[in-house]
């Protein structure tokens, strides 16, 4: 039996929705009737969704993406933008790559959430779903920085959910694994 949900009249933003899990999430929301906005550095064609080029590591690009919503509230935010980096021992990795992984996976998620949470507080409701990883729970060899960033996503989500517990806003983390 297939489960269906009705998200009509709801605005959903999916970061990192051009490919993979993010695209599947966006497609599911479209099928459920949501007004879906895909934010990614890559443009995406998905019938029923708006594609906006947004680099989640740039606060001004996040603000520009929000301006396109023309004052609508954001009912659901799915933070899926991510960068895995190379699979290699930590001592072989380069600091520039650490920065890229941390900026996209952790700092970008914080920046998007920071700006959208304000809108949700004004509306008195909203759902935030942060995509973490099993790597953040277990720590995976040869993905040390990615594991650290994912652990940060998980911890941030727990803390944020506690901050908004007395509101109509909820934050959850999904941590897929292999």
């Amino acid at each position: 039996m297939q489960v269906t949900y009705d998200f009509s009249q709801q605005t959903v933003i999916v970061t990192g929705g051009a490919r993979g899990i993010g695209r599947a999430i966006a497609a599911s929301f479209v099928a459920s009737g949501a007004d879906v906005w895909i934010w990614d550095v890559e443009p995406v064609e998905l019938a029923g969704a708006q594609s906006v080029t947004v680099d989640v590591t740039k606060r001004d690009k996040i603000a520009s993406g929000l301006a396109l919503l023309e004052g609508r509230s954001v009912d659901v935010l799915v933070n899926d933008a991510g960068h895995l980096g190379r699979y290699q021992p930590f001592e072989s990795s380069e600091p520039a790559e650490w920065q890229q992984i941390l900026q996209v996976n952790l700092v970008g998620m914080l920046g998007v959430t920071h700006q959208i949470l304000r809108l949700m507080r004004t509306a008195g409701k909203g759902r935030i779903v942060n995509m973490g990883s099993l790597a953040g729970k277990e720590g995976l060899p040869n993905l040390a920085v990615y594991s650290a960033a994912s652990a940060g996503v998980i911890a941030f989500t727990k803390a944020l959910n506690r901050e908004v517990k007395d509101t109509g806003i909820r934050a959850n983390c999904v941590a897929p694994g292999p």
Side-chain angles (χ1 to χ4, degrees):
M1 178 170 127
Q2 183 176 357
V3 177
T4 59
Y5 298 95
D6 181 8
F7 282 92
S8 57
Q9 307 301 313
Q10 293 193 37
T11 300
V12 176
I13 295 175
V14 180
T15 69
R19 295 180 281 132
I21 292 172
R23 185 179 178 97
I25 291 168
S28 292
F29 275 114
V30 166
S32 296
D35 178 21
V36 178
W37 293 74
I38 299 173
W39 288 5
D40 204 300
V41 292
E42 299 175 19
V44 60
E45 289 188 28
L46 179 64
Q50 301 287 326
S51 176
V52 181
T53 302
V54 174
D55 180 343
V56 299
T57 68
K58 311 269 190 260
R59 292 191 58 77
D60 62 324
K61 300 299 180 187
I62 298 166
S64 296
L66 280 175
L68 295 173
L69 294 173
E70 300 171 344
R72 280 178 277 191
S73 63
V74 177
D75 299 289
V76 180
L77 166 63
V78 179
N79 281 307
D80 183 62
H83 177 68
L84 184 65
R86 289 188 300 231
Y87 185 80
Q88 63 186 354
F90 178 69
E91 68 269 11
S92 299
S93 64
E94 294 295 325
E97 188 168 34
W98 308 345
Q99 289 300 316
Q100 171 97 21
I101 293 166
L102 292 170
Q103 286 296 314
V104 174
N105 297 358
L106 183 57
V107 178
M109 179 271 310
L110 293 171
V112 172
T113 302
H114 189 252
Q115 291 191 41
I116 291 178
L117 182 60
R118 293 175 182 181
L119 298 175
M120 289 180 172
R121 281 202 185 271
T122 298
K125 63 184 176 74
R127 300 293 180 261
I128 300 168
V129 180
N130 294 326
M131 299 301 292
S133 170
L134 181 64
K137 293 179 66 174
E138 302 298 326
L140 298 180
N142 298 313
L143 291 174
V145 178
Y146 177 77
S147 296
S150 290
V153 170
I154 293 166
F156 168 76
T157 306
K158 289 177 182 180
L160 180 63
N161 198 52
R162 289 180 176 121
E163 282 186 28
V164 299
K165 71 180 180 187
D166 295 331
T167 72
I169 302 166
R170 296 293 171 265
N172 289 282
C173 184
V174 177

